[in-house]
Every structure is written in C-alpha cells, then in structure tokens.
Amino acid sequence: MVDRVFSDVELAALYEKLNPWGPGDDFYLELVMAAERVLDIGCGTGRLLHAARAAGHRGRLTGIDPAAAMLVQARQAEPGIEWMLGDVTTHLWEGAFDLVVMTGHAFQELLGNEQVRGTLRGARRALADGGRFVFETRNPAARAWERWTPDRVYEFTDGDGEAVRVWYDADPDPAGDRLSFTETYAGARWERPQVCRGTLRFLDADALDGFLGGAGLAVAERYGDWRRGPMAPASSPEIITVATAADQSSDACSSSTLSAGSRTTSSSR
C-alpha cells in the first residue's frame, strides 16, 4: 500500500517544495556521477536522476517507484530516463547496475520483514560484479520523531504561488520498531486540511546487518551523517550503509573510505 502523500497526484506535485535539495542529495549525486549504470529504488519524483543527467551523466539511469503519481512528476521533468512502475521484487535485473541506491529514507517505508528481504534480494541481484548498494535509514537512537510535532510548521508556496502549510504529529513512542504519524496539509487550494496517515520502520544497525546478510550483502562502509562521519550508535542521526555482494566484502573493506572515484526534512522518506 502506497501512502497517500505519494499516490495523490496533487500532493506528489508538492513533494520537492516540501523537501528541498539537501546534503543527502549531494552525497548520492556524487556517487551516481561516478557510476556508469545506476538504479534508483523508490526514485519518487526522480530528482536525483534528473540532477545527474543535467550534470552530464550519459550512462544508464533507471528509476523505479510503486507510486504512479510520483512517476508522473519524474517523467514530466525528464522523459529520456528509464522510469518504471513497481519495485525490485516485480522487476528483476541480473547484474545490470554498477550502483543501486535507495534515498530519501525510502527504506523506512518497508514495514514487513518480507518486504525488507525481497527488496534487499532484488538489490543484490541487480548489482554487477563490484557494484554497490547504498541506502540510509534514520538511527532510532536519535529519536527524530520527537521533533515531529504540530508546532513545527513547514511553509512554502506551490506552483500557483499559493501558500501551503504542513505539519506532523507522531506517536511519542513507536510500537516496537514502527512509528505511526499524521502529515497534514493546509492552504487555499483545499476546503479543509488534508490529513495523511503513515508508518515508518526504524531498524538499528544490528537489525540491518542481519537482513543484509540474509540477502547475500555485506557492509563495506557505514556513516553516521552526510559528511561521512563515523557511525555512533547512540547519537548519529543517520545509518548510511554502503553494501556489496557478500563474496566481495573482503575486497570492499580494504578501503577505509568511499570516494567519488570508485531529504532533509522530517517528511523526506
């Protein structure tokens, strides 16, 4: 089930206004520009691949997303990129990509264990020899949801110049590793506020490593922020993972950093 904020064409058109380009996008763009063939899982409006093409990337760029409304935005902005509806459990690629990414905290939309396993297996299948799968999830120890309160209102103007206000209201304590919240949109375009409900999953590093291992992947690098700072389990805001095929992990771990040569508001998912 795709959340309404992604499946509603009107709300999907506001995504990039609410989630402006940030350090996480810079991080991924550097990786994309260094790879010849790239798959973006949960590509959303496609802005990462749009930016890569605009910056001169001439290799294969493929974006896949389960929300048709988001792909409408992607195709309108850049019809020349390969946009696909679905996910990596329905579209199978065998060793087709040098880099697979999953950005904007999209990984946290995978709520069930089988969803996580299927996505990771699909990413592993898609990797060419020496390829890397890079994704991030919010570190549950940082408790980011405690700042998702109705008094923190995000304001921007839509494509017609009308003001839009957005706020969040999250449960104070997750149910296990799942957090439920509401995302409310208000503005002149609606007669009444539009309330969308969602759930995100917060996995810690140990849980992530277990799922990765089960999918034939191993951690090559891990960062705690977009400046490539070390992962501090109790305080880092992000868990940014660079994974390779498990049988390539020993070679990947021989490098201590990820170089270019080889969202982010609370709504960015």
Side-chain angles (χ1 to χ4, degrees):
M1 178 87 53
V2 177
D3 286 357
R4 183 188 168 196
V5 292
F6 307 130
S7 63
D8 184 300
V9 172
E10 189 174 35
L11 297 180
L14 300 175
Y15 180 84
E16 292 192 24
K17 293 280 190 178
L18 179 59
N19 299 281
W21 188 275
D25 300 289
D26 290 331
F27 174 92
Y28 282 107
L29 181 59
E30 184 179 7
L31 300 179
V32 171
M33 295 303 294
E36 179 67 20
R37 300 168 297 168
V38 181
L39 172 64
D40 185 354
I41 301 174
C43 64
T45 60
R47 72 176 176 192
L48 175 63
L49 301 187
H50 296 156
R53 191 67 91 207
H57 195 291
R58 291 296 173 262
R60 181 182 182 184
L61 297 176
T62 302
I64 187 167
D65 199 282
M70 298 294 269
L71 290 179
V72 167
Q73 308 301 314
R75 291 190 178 104
Q76 287 177 343
E78 178 51 84
I81 292 173
E82 183 180 17
W83 305 112
M84 305 191 72
L85 180 65
D87 58 46
V88 290
T89 67
T90 58
H91 294 272
L92 305 180
W93 290 279
E94 297 290 342
F97 297 97
D98 308 302
L99 176 69
V100 176
V101 299
M102 196 169 188
T103 75
H105 302 109
F107 187 83
Q108 292 188 253
E109 298 283 341
L110 305 174
L111 301 183
N113 288 346
E114 283 309 307
Q115 282 184 293
V116 173
R117 293 186 183 108
T119 299
L120 293 179
R121 286 194 297 263
R124 168 64 185 90
R125 279 194 303 269
L127 289 179
D129 289 345
R132 297 191 179 215
F133 172 46
V134 187
F135 70 101
E136 90 289 332
T137 181
R138 297 179 184 88
N139 181 8
R143 300 180 68 85
W145 61 84
E146 292 181 345
R147 299 184 293 277
W148 301 352
T149 54
D151 59 299
R152 295 171 63 94
V153 179
Y154 300 87
E155 299 187 22
F156 57 91
T157 56
D158 63 19
D160 298 322
E162 297 286 350
V164 177
R165 301 168 67 246
V166 181
W167 62 91
Y168 302 86
D169 193 3
D171 290 346
D173 290 300
D177 56 20
R178 293 165 178 80
L179 175 84
S180 296
F181 63 96
T182 59
E183 183 173 354
T184 302
Y185 291 72
R189 61 166 57 205
W190 301 288
E191 292 184 2
R192 60 181 62 84
Q194 303 296 296
V195 181
C196 305
R197 291 172 173 78
T199 302
L200 297 175
R201 191 173 187 183
F202 287 76
L203 294 173
D204 62 21
D206 288 342
L208 288 172
D209 292 351
F211 281 116
L212 288 165
L217 293 162
V219 176
E221 301 288 342
R222 179 159 279 154
Y223 306 113
D225 58 50
W226 299 117
R227 298 181 301 277
R228 294 182 170 84
M231 173 64 198
S235 60
S236 291
E238 305 283 349
I239 304 174
I240 304 166
T241 300
V242 181
T244 62
D247 56 4
Q248 300 167 9
S249 61
S250 58
D251 292 335
C253 289
S254 64
S255 172
S256 60
T257 59
L258 178 67
S259 67
S262 44
R263 216 163 314 119
T264 302
T265 68
S266 62
S267 65
S268 183
R269 311 204 292 277

